[in-house]
Amino acid sequence: MEPSSPPPPPPPSTTDKKPHQSRPHARITIPGSLVGWWQWWIPSSPPPPIFLLTLISFSTLLFSFSAASDLQPTPTRPASPPTQVINARDTNQGRFNSTLFVAAVSVAAAVALFLALFAMVSFSCFGFRIPSRKNRVINDDGDVESDVGSKMDFGVRRLSWDDVRVSTNGFEKVIGSGGFSVVYCGALPVPRPPFSKPVGAFKVHSNSERLHQGFREELSILLKLDHPNIVKLHAYCDDQEGGALVFEYVPNGTLQENLHESSRSLELPWSARVSVAYQLALALEYLHEQCELHVVHGDVKSSNILLDKNLNVKLCDFGSAKMGFSAALAPPGPTRKHLITGSPGYVDPHYLRTGISSKKNDMYSFGVVLMELLTGLEAFCLETGRMLTSRVVSGSGDVNPDLIDPRLGSEYDAEESRVMSQIAATCVRGSPSLRPSASEVVAVMRQHVRVTRR
């Protein structure tokens, strides 16, 4: 009698699993508390819905990583009948596939939720805005496209003609005038608290078609400028009734008035004159080299240099300015008319001869202003018809040191006056190529004279 074969081992039970060591769960280290991390990333407290979404997204991520860590199938016992082994394997494989599917969906959902949350936070807190550019242009319809309110506390705003009339109290107080405009003093309307109305200078232009186009050109340039030594544009009006530019009010008048008119002259000591020259050079350096589109002012003179309460420079009147220069603009062809602009005593003789407008025209005018600061004399004498350059510059091209303004007495620095005289002489040279640039003048003044903002 043959010994009976041992009974086959029972099939492996799906509930009788041998304990095994699972891999450590994936961990995400968050610096500090969740609230602390949020406050570190975003300065202001987030809205409650976004905060809840943050908790949900991180919870989902933690669940996904936890589920993904248990994706290994449970090991089975060996030597099982073929039919039973196949059934157990199918069961475990199905369970594995189900777990893998749930984990994959969870990870995908968590990533999508996190990306959505990141986009919401970024747009709400940081904006992902295209940086606001100072450039504003005149569109085909003739309207100025400006990013209103981006430049100052109460912005560069567009006013109606009625706003201008009310703000100037019916154009009551005239504080200045030019060939094509009148400047009125007025209270600039402020649309939101605090409701104190700052005083502004309202430059109202003549309302003709040609002059109106000139007004638009000046406005398009002013909307691109932002420099402490260039007068600030607060608002503008561009209506059919008329055009107006509203500037900051500068209380101490012009350099022309304070140097040459005894009725209004302020005490301008040597340090103040050096500061005026330096700040004017800074303004020209900004226009010539630091603007996106280079600007030639075209009418630099002492009457276009305003002085604030601290005697800081505010260059104004861009009615003759030209924009977009890399070096120079060739004169127009025979079929085009060319209007020569400038003021006697300040205008570059090379420009008068050729009609070529360039940055060196401004540097010539800057040299004349330096001579005014040094001597206290006017750029053009109406009585004699003589230019200041012909009176001050000797045949050798140097400035006569004996013509220092007698009002200074001995209260000036001889070495600094010598340096400024040399700068003035080089700026008024006949050939524009021999004149220094504004940045070169700034560099020399920083090295050889004491320059401070008052």
PDB file of all heavy atoms in Angstrom, residues 14 47 73 98 136 233 313 339 409 417:
ATOM      1  N   THR A  14      -6.696  35.915   1.015  1.00  0.00           N
ATOM      2  CA  THR A  14      -6.434  37.335   0.748  1.00  0.00           C
ATOM      3  C   THR A  14      -6.442  38.156   2.005  1.00  0.00           C
ATOM      4  O   THR A  14      -5.914  39.263   2.051  1.00  0.00           O
ATOM      5  CB  THR A  14      -7.488  37.881  -0.229  1.00  0.00           C
ATOM      6  OG1 THR A  14      -8.776  37.678   0.351  1.00  0.00           O
ATOM      7  CG2 THR A  14      -7.383  37.198  -1.571  1.00  0.00           C
ATOM      8  N   PRO A  47      -7.146  86.663   1.296  1.00  0.00           N
ATOM      9  CA  PRO A  47      -8.570  86.479   1.575  1.00  0.00           C
ATOM     10  C   PRO A  47      -8.824  85.064   2.073  1.00  0.00           C
ATOM     11  O   PRO A  47      -8.118  84.125   1.716  1.00  0.00           O
ATOM     12  CB  PRO A  47      -9.230  86.725   0.208  1.00  0.00           C
ATOM     13  CG  PRO A  47      -8.171  87.347  -0.637  1.00  0.00           C
ATOM     14  CD  PRO A  47      -6.857  86.929  -0.090  1.00  0.00           C
ATOM     15  N   PRO A  73       2.756  45.573  -4.542  1.00  0.00           N
ATOM     16  CA  PRO A  73       1.771  44.493  -4.327  1.00  0.00           C
ATOM     17  C   PRO A  73       2.161  43.628  -3.138  1.00  0.00           C
ATOM     18  O   PRO A  73       3.335  43.507  -2.787  1.00  0.00           O
ATOM     19  CB  PRO A  73       1.821  43.708  -5.633  1.00  0.00           C
ATOM     20  CG  PRO A  73       3.200  43.958  -6.161  1.00  0.00           C
ATOM     21  CD  PRO A  73       3.549  45.363  -5.764  1.00  0.00           C
ATOM     22  N   SER A  98      -5.985  49.490  -9.286  1.00  0.00           N
ATOM     23  CA  SER A  98      -6.952  50.443  -8.727  1.00  0.00           C
ATOM     24  C   SER A  98      -6.247  51.490  -7.878  1.00  0.00           C
ATOM     25  O   SER A  98      -6.540  52.683  -7.955  1.00  0.00           O
ATOM     26  CB  SER A  98      -8.004  49.678  -7.906  1.00  0.00           C
ATOM     27  OG  SER A  98      -8.895  50.568  -7.287  1.00  0.00           O
ATOM     28  N   ARG A 136       3.607 107.828 -23.600  1.00  0.00           N
ATOM     29  CA  ARG A 136       2.230 108.002 -24.064  1.00  0.00           C
ATOM     30  C   ARG A 136       2.320 108.592 -25.458  1.00  0.00           C
ATOM     31  O   ARG A 136       3.184 109.420 -25.743  1.00  0.00           O
ATOM     32  CB  ARG A 136       1.429 108.955 -23.179  1.00  0.00           C
ATOM     33  CG  ARG A 136       1.109 108.417 -21.784  1.00  0.00           C
ATOM     34  CD  ARG A 136       2.161 108.768 -20.830  1.00  0.00           C
ATOM     35  NE  ARG A 136       1.695 108.625 -19.447  1.00  0.00           N
ATOM     36  CZ  ARG A 136       2.470 108.788 -18.423  1.00  0.00           C
ATOM     37  NH1 ARG A 136       3.745 109.083 -18.577  1.00  0.00           N
ATOM     38  NH2 ARG A 136       2.002 108.651 -17.196  1.00  0.00           N
ATOM     39  N   LEU A 233       4.309 117.716 -14.706  1.00  0.00           N
ATOM     40  CA  LEU A 233       2.998 117.899 -15.320  1.00  0.00           C
ATOM     41  C   LEU A 233       1.958 117.208 -14.455  1.00  0.00           C
ATOM     42  O   LEU A 233       2.024 115.999 -14.230  1.00  0.00           O
ATOM     43  CB  LEU A 233       2.988 117.312 -16.733  1.00  0.00           C
ATOM     44  CG  LEU A 233       1.660 117.430 -17.485  1.00  0.00           C
ATOM     45  CD1 LEU A 233       1.368 118.884 -17.840  1.00  0.00           C
ATOM     46  CD2 LEU A 233       1.689 116.570 -18.754  1.00  0.00           C
ATOM     47  N   VAL A 313      16.441 123.610  -9.345  1.00  0.00           N
ATOM     48  CA  VAL A 313      16.103 123.891 -10.743  1.00  0.00           C
ATOM     49  C   VAL A 313      14.897 123.082 -11.173  1.00  0.00           C
ATOM     50  O   VAL A 313      14.767 121.891 -10.852  1.00  0.00           O
ATOM     51  CB  VAL A 313      17.315 123.588 -11.649  1.00  0.00           C
ATOM     52  CG1 VAL A 313      16.905 123.516 -13.107  1.00  0.00           C
ATOM     53  CG2 VAL A 313      18.398 124.628 -11.451  1.00  0.00           C
ATOM     54  N   LEU A 339      11.106 125.812 -39.534  1.00  0.00           N
ATOM     55  CA  LEU A 339      10.957 126.952 -38.646  1.00  0.00           C
ATOM     56  C   LEU A 339      12.124 126.974 -37.673  1.00  0.00           C
ATOM     57  O   LEU A 339      12.296 126.054 -36.878  1.00  0.00           O
ATOM     58  CB  LEU A 339       9.628 126.868 -37.881  1.00  0.00           C
ATOM     59  CG  LEU A 339       9.358 127.996 -36.875  1.00  0.00           C
ATOM     60  CD1 LEU A 339       9.250 129.330 -37.602  1.00  0.00           C
ATOM     61  CD2 LEU A 339       8.084 127.718 -36.087  1.00  0.00           C
ATOM     62  N   GLY A 409      31.017 139.749  -4.507  1.00  0.00           N
ATOM     63  CA  GLY A 409      32.138 140.227  -3.711  1.00  0.00           C
ATOM     64  C   GLY A 409      33.275 139.221  -3.751  1.00  0.00           C
ATOM     65  O   GLY A 409      33.692 138.746  -4.822  1.00  0.00           O
ATOM     66  N   SER A 417      35.238 128.778  -9.861  1.00  0.00           N
ATOM     67  CA  SER A 417      34.896 129.723 -10.924  1.00  0.00           C
ATOM     68  C   SER A 417      35.744 129.478 -12.169  1.00  0.00           C
ATOM     69  O   SER A 417      35.261 129.625 -13.307  1.00  0.00           O
ATOM     70  CB  SER A 417      35.065 131.156 -10.430  1.00  0.00           C
ATOM     71  OG  SER A 417      36.434 131.454 -10.203  1.00  0.00           O
TER      72      SER A 417
END
